[in-house]
Amino acid sequence: MAILIVAEHDNHSIQPATLSVLTAASTIAAHTRDGELHLLIIGHECQPVVAIAQGITGLSKILVADHHIHQYPLAENIAPLIVSLVQDQAQYQYSHILTSAGTTGKDYQPRVAALLDVAQISDIISVESADTFKRPIYAGKAIATVQSSDAIKVLTVRTSAFTAASLTADSLNKESLTTEPLALESQVPVVELAAQADSGKSEFIKAELTQSTRPELTTAKVVISGGRGMQNADNFELLYTLADQLNAAVGASRAAVDAGFVANDLQIGQTGKIIAPDLYIAVGISGAIQHIAGITGSKVIVAINNDADAPIFDVADYGLVADLFDVLPELTAVLKVKN
């Protein structure tokens, strides 16, 4: 039996989330003892991604579906491809299908599970055995232990709960995970998959991407977030200035997003992005349960709020009861001097 990991990428580089999914898959394989790890790369002109995958520790095989219909990750085309591999028992015998619990994975994995007539287990944070996993429920207030009797387990992984798998080639850039093709001494076998027909059920229209020189929110080591206490969009400039001093990503609570202070791609929480930075600074955020669910993996949480009874202080390692409009300029000035 083998474990199938579906890679997350942009046809040029592998997303760091995939390396964390590989760690989860390796843990499952350790419980099965003889489980191989197969990485599925679905894209168009994605050979740079294949080159990077050659440097990932622990892979037994790389499957590549390189076709123009996969230039954009449409779930209606991805799900049938994955199911066709699982159903090809002559070549592949998969016991688990894993991907990250990101936007794309959440889109196609339920379709895969439905087509296979099995249950999906979402957002796992721990592997107890080959068929038993832990996942948060009630916005992280409780942890459920789920055991599946399905022959094929369809899983999404909360990547902040798993460390990233290592790369065998030292010359690979672990931050961007981009590289030129490498001539490794022992390359992982690559299997080119036959092209499939377009399902015709969906069509890519356009993508509107936010360009930023700051780190990606889900992978940043330092994150600074603002809430309703920021009062308006202009005041977020205080956070941007401070973030530049700390090389930090900027996020926001749902209240700030709903108020129109920032775009919704910055939202952190149960209905936003789940993060686990080394340092999380919450500014003017009261600490609703939905927001706390997105930051509990942070190593250190710092809260700045003028309300001493704000729930955010219950989870903060360090708290400062003060007016953010006094604290942020002073903190930024101190950091400028030190830098």
Side-chain angles (χ1 to χ4, degrees):
M1 300 295 285
I3 298 170
L4 182 66
I5 303 103
V6 186
E8 213 176 309
H9 63 91
D10 61 1
N11 290 318
H12 302 288
S13 60
I14 288 181
Q15 300 300 319
T18 297
L19 297 182
S20 296
V21 175
L22 279 157
T23 299
S26 297
T27 307
I28 296 172
H31 285 289
T32 60
R33 296 185 181 179
D34 59 351
E36 292 187 349
L37 302 184
H38 294 183
L39 183 69
L40 173 60
I41 299 173
I42 305 172
H44 178 50
E45 297 180 351
C46 55
Q47 288 307 307
V49 180
V50 178
I52 297 168
Q54 292 280 359
I56 298 176
T57 302
L59 289 180
S60 302
K61 189 175 293 184
I62 299 172
L63 309 177
V64 182
D66 191 335
H67 194 265
H68 69 85
I69 70 167
H70 297 307
Q71 182 174 0
Y72 305 103
L74 300 178
E76 291 78 6
N77 289 334
I78 294 175
L81 172 62
I82 296 173
V83 171
S84 69
L85 291 174
V86 174
Q87 293 177 337
D88 186 359
Q89 294 292 323
Q91 291 194 57
Y92 312 106
Q93 294 184 346
Y94 292 119
S95 58
H96 299 73
I97 305 169
L98 282 76
T99 193
S100 73
T103 304
T104 305
K106 288 179 179 178
D107 195 10
Y108 63 74
Q109 281 289 70
R111 290 172 166 84
V112 171
L115 291 170
L116 293 173
D117 195 25
V118 299
Q120 177 188 300
I121 303 176
S122 303
D123 224 19
I124 67 167
I125 60 171
S126 175
V127 176
E128 302 301 300
S129 69
D131 64 358
T132 307
F133 313 91
K134 288 187 176 181
R135 60 179 300 269
I137 59 175
Y138 302 125
K141 284 293 185 181
I143 304 299
T145 301
V146 183
Q147 185 175 34
S148 172
S149 59
D150 289 324
I152 301 171
K153 281 74 173 173
V154 178
L155 312 169
T156 60
V157 177
R158 179 175 289 194
T159 54
S160 61
F162 296 88
T163 58
S166 60
L167 302 170
T168 57
D170 292 336
S171 58
L172 288 176
N173 184 323
K174 294 186 181 182
E175 294 298 324
S176 63
L177 299 182
T178 58
T179 183
E180 295 299 321
L182 298 175
L184 301 177
E185 292 181 3
S186 178
Q187 291 198 337
V188 181
V190 176
V191 178
E192 298 285 347
L193 302 177
Q196 291 196 328
D198 191 332
S199 69
K201 295 178 180 178
S202 62
E203 179 184 359
F204 177 83
I205 304 298
K206 66 176 181 177
E208 295 183 4
L209 304 177
T210 302
Q211 300 295 329
S212 175
T213 57
R214 298 187 186 92
E216 170 64 29
L217 186 58
T218 54
T219 58
K221 294 183 178 180
V222 180
V223 176
I224 303 173
S225 286
R228 196 195 310 272
M230 298 302 297
Q231 297 183 3
N232 58 54
D234 292 338
N235 288 334
F236 261 78
E237 287 298 328
L238 295 170
L239 293 187
Y240 299 145
T241 304
L242 179 58
D244 291 339
Q245 295 298 315
L246 295 172
N247 190 30
V250 174
S253 67
R254 179 170 180 172
V257 171
D258 289 347
F261 298 168
V262 293
N264 60 9
D265 62 325
L266 297 186
Q267 182 177 324
I268 295 171
Q270 184 180 16
T271 54
K273 294 180 178 177
I274 307 296
I275 62 171
D278 292 340
L279 172 62
Y280 179 72
I281 305 175
V283 183
I285 295 175
S286 62
I289 186 173
Q290 291 86 355
H291 186 76
I292 300 301
I295 65 169
T296 51
S298 305
K299 291 183 180 177
V300 176
I301 298 175
V302 176
I304 302 172
N305 201 299
N306 61 5
D307 180 7
D309 296 322
I312 190 70
F313 289 121
D314 293 336
V315 297
D317 297 285
Y318 301 93
L320 178 59
V321 180
D323 188 329
L324 67 90
F325 297 108
D326 294 330
V327 173
L328 292 182
E330 185 174 348
L331 182 56
T332 301
V334 170
L335 290 171
K336 279 184 179 179
V337 171
K338 295 199 174 206
N339 289 338

